[in-house]
Amino acid sequence: MKRGLKGTYISVEPFHLFRYLDEQAFRFNERQTTDAARFVLALGNVTGWRLTYKELIGGDAPKFEPSSAPAE
């Protein structure tokens, strides 16, 4: 894991460390698949999620509910 982080990123901030670790765990768990299949799997996990700028800056409470309709 340390080699993966040091070889991929210039610096890793402690505040975001859990995100980097989640990515490395995903890569390790899916190491038997091809890069294309791993990409499709990752996209499938984020499709339908939307974060608006207003929610990002704290204007509204985020509503993380994936929509059943495809995004336009």
Side-chain angles (χ1 to χ4, degrees), residues 7-31:
T8 306
Y9 305 104
I10 294 171
S11 69
V12 175
E13 294 294 325
F15 179 75
H16 297 292
L17 183 60
F18 70 96
R19 292 181 175 102
Y20 293 109
L21 295 177
D22 284 346
E23 179 188 354
Q24 293 300 317
F26 175 77
R27 288 175 185 255
F28 181 79
N29 291 335
E30 300 296 326
R31 67 188 178 278

